[in-house]
Amino acid sequence: MTLPQSLSIATLIGMMMLFIWGRFRYDVTAILALLASIALGIVSPKDAFKGFSDDIVIIVGSALVISAAVQRSGVIELALAKLAKRVTRVRSQLVVLTASVGFSSALVKNIGALAMLMPAAFQMAKKNNTSPSVFLMPMATASLLGGLITLVGTSPNIIVSRVREQMTGQPFGMFDYTPVGLGLTVMGLIYLRFAYRLLPRDRRAAPTMGEALDIKGYITEAAIPETSPAVDESVEDFLARHDGEVSITRILRAGMRSAPNEHTHLRAGDVLILGGEPDALERVIARDRLKLEGEDREKADQADDDEVGVIEAVVNVGSPLAGRTAARLALQARFGVNLIAISRQGEHLSRRLANIELRAGDVLVLQGPLEQLPGKLRDLGCLPLAQREMRLGVSKRSWLPIGILGVAMGATAMGFVPVAVAFFAAAGLIMATGVLPVREAYDHVEWPILIMLGALIPVSDSLRTTGASDVIATWLSATASTLPPWGAVALILAAAMAVTPFLNNAATVLVMAPIAATFAGDLGYRPEAFLMATAVGAGCDFLTPIGHQCNTLVMGPGGYKFSDYARLGAPLSLLVLLVGTPLIVAVWPMH
């Protein structure tokens, strides 16, 4: 073994030890590993930053934007609403989420299926008052397993199919992977149903100060348009359809205000005074296409290049708002802002927003041009609260992000464009169409994750450039020649699973597939079983957040530590080895 090869392996071992130790944040550890590799000469300065242009960085960043848009649209919650009413226990919800993402990953890229279903995990976790980390890593794991079922589920399957075509003239077909992949997916789903308890319960993404404030009890005012599903619905049915998340404190009809009766039927043009938490109010307004008071007027008064948004602020002592109503102050006409919602500690408000006399200490949601809102707050004597997502009053086209994501996944499944191009285009369209404001899109990108990926790619690639991977391959070849057929298959499967955390899964297949094919020829066996073992092993990186973008995608939102992946993934990796080997040998004859 040459000195550069030894240094490459030693650097990777040292980096993994730092990850496990946890003294430095993961992106800082990755930067240190890259600097060490440059200093040792195993990564050249000209290649030091090539990782930041790698497809994985683009895929993960774009997927985070897409996921935020899907979550913001409320479509996923609506699609799962009926099922969620029946499935209330964490274990049952886990089965629904992992099975959904697992089988979806068989027909579309697993990263796309995971990005689309992550918002549902956040909603279920919030209703159960539990951490999303209970769901997210099991979902990522299920997406990896589901990707094994078909040719298009994951990139290693496609690469292995090409290797087989080069050797035998016949590639693997769309469903040639199904017997092995489906068996492993079902086994994995059963495992996750029980093994999720291995994850620490205290893992959460770092909360913002706004989330820590946890202000509740807002009221807002919204009109029912003719196209709303609430038209002709009784108050009782309206509240039941929304799971009692909001309340109707008053109904304004033809200038008359009345207390709601459960048998009162809602009509087009009714103005509802709604109470509830901001997220619940947002979902109800989105699902029923309600019109917030003053929303259209606000948008009409803004220039096309003004980004309209909302801010949460508290009325300060001495504010010109104190003791006066929004109608009397003419907030829109004089200050260019619209009052969207009010929260007052210890009181249940039921009057129209414009007629509520404001007090010091009231928390307001104000809508206006984002560039001007800080100055407007100073003029109004209000103190902005710590930033958090407050989406009341922001327009949306709920099905558009789903449509954009569906087209992107369809384009990749049909082979029209690479995954990175499709996801990058989808994220760009989401921002260009206004489905997700640009400012909010950038806020949802987990920049430390992208820094970690960009720094680690050249470090991991040093295994190939120094020839360290060839040394490992030679050792494996000598070892496999003394094993029985099933043992050789198991060794290739284990080796691919061991290598893929350090290389990305596509690189693992590029390195291991030729080795596996050579094994088969040297031992006098057909290559299919060994190639299938390579594909399965490369697609089953459950041990680290860096081997596959699905694992990386959930690391930040789930608040996971590097070592958490092995807690859930190590037993599953052993199960894949024990179950996958006989499955492969049974499905693909060796002679």
Side-chain angles (χ1 to χ4, degrees):
M1 185 180 294
T2 65
L3 180 60
Q5 292 168 352
S6 301
L7 291 175
S8 177
I9 295 174
T11 300
L12 286 171
I13 293 174
M15 179 190 69
M16 296 301 293
M17 292 177 65
L18 282 178
F19 275 130
I20 296 172
W21 182 28
R23 174 64 177 81
F24 304 105
R25 200 172 70 174
Y26 47 85
D27 53 334
V28 176
T29 297
I31 292 172
L32 292 176
L34 177 58
L35 293 175
S37 299
I38 297 171
L40 294 172
I42 57 178
V43 172
S44 65
K46 68 176 183 179
D47 293 331
F49 305 112
K50 67 179 183 180
F52 292 99
S53 63
D54 192 276
D55 285 357
I56 292 180
V57 176
I58 302 300
I59 291 170
V60 171
S62 300
L64 287 167
V65 173
I66 295 167
S67 179
V70 173
Q71 181 178 6
R72 193 172 189 268
S73 72
V75 171
I76 295 297
E77 301 96 284
L78 182 61
L80 295 178
K82 293 183 179 179
L83 185 60
K85 291 178 182 178
R86 302 176 183 177
V87 182
T88 57
R89 301 180 64 183
V90 170
R91 288 178 296 180
S92 300
Q93 292 173 338
L94 182 71
V95 171
V96 170
L97 291 170
T98 53
S100 297
V101 74
F103 292 117
S104 297
S105 298
L107 298 177
V108 297
K109 292 292 184 181
N110 44 24
I111 183 71
L114 179 60
M116 186 167 59
L117 290 171
M118 278 176 62
F122 287 110
Q123 292 299 330
M124 287 187 178
K126 185 170 184 178
K127 286 186 177 181
N128 292 334
N129 195 28
T130 188
S131 171
S133 63
V134 174
F135 300 129
L136 292 181
M137 192 186 295
M139 289 173 66
T141 301
S143 73
L144 296 182
L145 290 168
L148 304 176
I149 297 177
T150 64
L151 175 68
V152 300
T154 185
S155 299
N157 291 358
I158 299 173
I159 299 173
V160 164
S161 177
R162 291 175 182 172
V163 173
R164 187 197 184 200
E165 184 178 18
Q166 293 170 356
M167 293 191 62
T168 66
Q170 182 180 1
F172 284 119
M174 179 71 170
F175 299 105
D176 285 345
Y177 298 87
T178 302
V180 175
L182 184 60
L184 290 175
T185 300
V186 172
M187 177 273 297
L189 293 176
I190 296 173
Y191 166 80
L192 293 171
R193 162 65 174 76
F194 300 98
Y196 76 96
R197 297 179 181 277
L198 296 174
L199 291 172
R201 294 299 184 93
D202 60 346
R203 297 292 187 257
R204 291 180 183 269
T208 65
M209 283 297 295
E211 291 170 333
L213 293 171
D214 194 25
I215 297 171
K216 301 179 180 179
Y218 279 102
I219 67 158
T220 193
E221 185 175 327
I224 302 177
E226 293 181 358
T227 57
S228 172
V231 174
D232 294 328
E233 190 174 36
S234 71
V235 169
E236 182 181 23
D237 292 340
F238 176 90
L239 298 177
R241 182 162 55 84
H242 293 295
D243 299 328
E245 290 187 318
V246 298
S247 61
I248 300 177
T249 59
R250 288 291 187 274
I251 299 176
L252 289 82
R253 179 179 297 169
M256 302 294 292
R257 185 178 68 171
S258 63
N261 182 285
E262 61 181 14
H263 300 299
T264 300
H265 280 71
L266 303 176
R267 301 177 186 173
D270 284 353
V271 176
L272 308 180
I273 307 296
L274 298 173
E277 296 185 17
D279 285 347
L281 291 171
E282 168 68 13
R283 285 193 292 272
V284 172
I285 290 168
R287 291 176 187 174
D288 286 6
R289 300 186 289 276
L290 305 181
K291 297 294 184 182
L292 285 170
E293 175 66 18
E295 181 179 359
D296 293 334
R297 182 175 66 250
E298 173 72 25
K299 293 175 186 174
D301 290 344
Q302 301 304 326
D304 291 338
D305 57 351
D306 282 341
E307 186 178 342
V308 176
V310 294
I311 194 167
E312 195 176 19
V314 62
V315 178
N316 196 10
V317 176
S319 166
L321 296 176
R324 306 172 76 178
T325 66
R328 182 180 174 190
L329 279 170
L331 278 179
Q332 176 59 43
R334 292 177 56 194
F335 296 94
V337 297
N338 188 43
L339 178 62
I340 295 294
I342 302 175
S343 176
R344 178 175 295 168
Q345 183 68 29
E347 286 195 32
H348 186 65
L349 303 174
S350 61
R351 302 183 67 186
R352 298 199 65 168
L353 296 181
N355 298 328
I356 294 177
E357 185 176 292
L358 302 176
R359 301 176 186 173
D362 285 351
V363 179
L364 313 179
V365 179
L366 299 172
Q367 180 192 53
L370 288 175
E371 295 290 339
Q372 302 176 26
L373 276 177
K376 302 291 185 183
L377 292 184
R378 287 194 298 270
D379 295 340
L380 292 170
C382 295
L383 301 176
L385 296 180
Q387 184 179 0
R388 62 170 169 167
E389 290 184 14
M390 294 289 297
R391 301 188 300 272
L392 289 174
V394 181
S395 64
K396 66 175 75 177
R397 281 155 276 187
S398 60
W399 287 99
L400 190 54
I402 297 294
I404 292 174
L405 179 57
V407 171
M409 293 191 296
T412 60
M414 299 297 292
F416 295 147
V417 293
V419 178
V421 173
F423 271 54
F424 185 75
L429 285 173
I430 280 172
M431 290 187 286
T433 55
V435 171
L436 188 70
V438 175
R439 187 189 305 268
E440 192 172 334
Y442 282 110
D443 287 343
H444 277 85
V445 176
E446 296 280 349
W447 298 107
I449 297 291
L450 301 189
I451 295 295
M452 180 191 72
L453 281 176
L456 283 191
I457 287 171
V459 176
S460 299
D461 195 45
S462 67
L463 278 178
R464 179 186 59 82
T465 57
T466 62
S469 58
D470 294 333
V471 173
I472 297 171
T474 301
W475 175 81
L476 288 174
S477 180
T479 303
S481 63
T482 63
L483 296 174
W486 63 266
V489 171
L491 179 61
I492 292 297
L493 177 56
M497 293 175 68
V499 171
T500 194
F502 300 98
L503 305 176
N504 63 59
N505 53 9
T508 297
V509 172
L510 290 172
V511 172
M512 294 296 300
I515 297 171
T518 302
F519 285 162
D522 291 345
L523 298 174
Y525 300 127
R526 293 180 60 83
E528 286 83 2
F530 295 90
L531 292 175
M532 192 62 62
T534 303
V536 170
C540 290
D541 173 27
F542 310 125
L543 300 178
T544 74
I546 60 176
H548 196 281
Q549 54 265 42
C550 287
N551 289 347
T552 309
L553 183 61
V554 301
M555 186 177 185
Y560 298 115
K561 294 183 178 179
F562 195 93
S563 58
D564 291 339
Y565 287 81
R567 298 176 67 137
L568 184 70
L572 181 57
S573 298
L574 181 60
L575 284 174
V576 168
L577 188 62
L578 295 176
V579 176
T581 300
L583 265 178
I584 293 171
V585 173
V587 174
W588 297 99
M590 308 276 295
H591 297 283

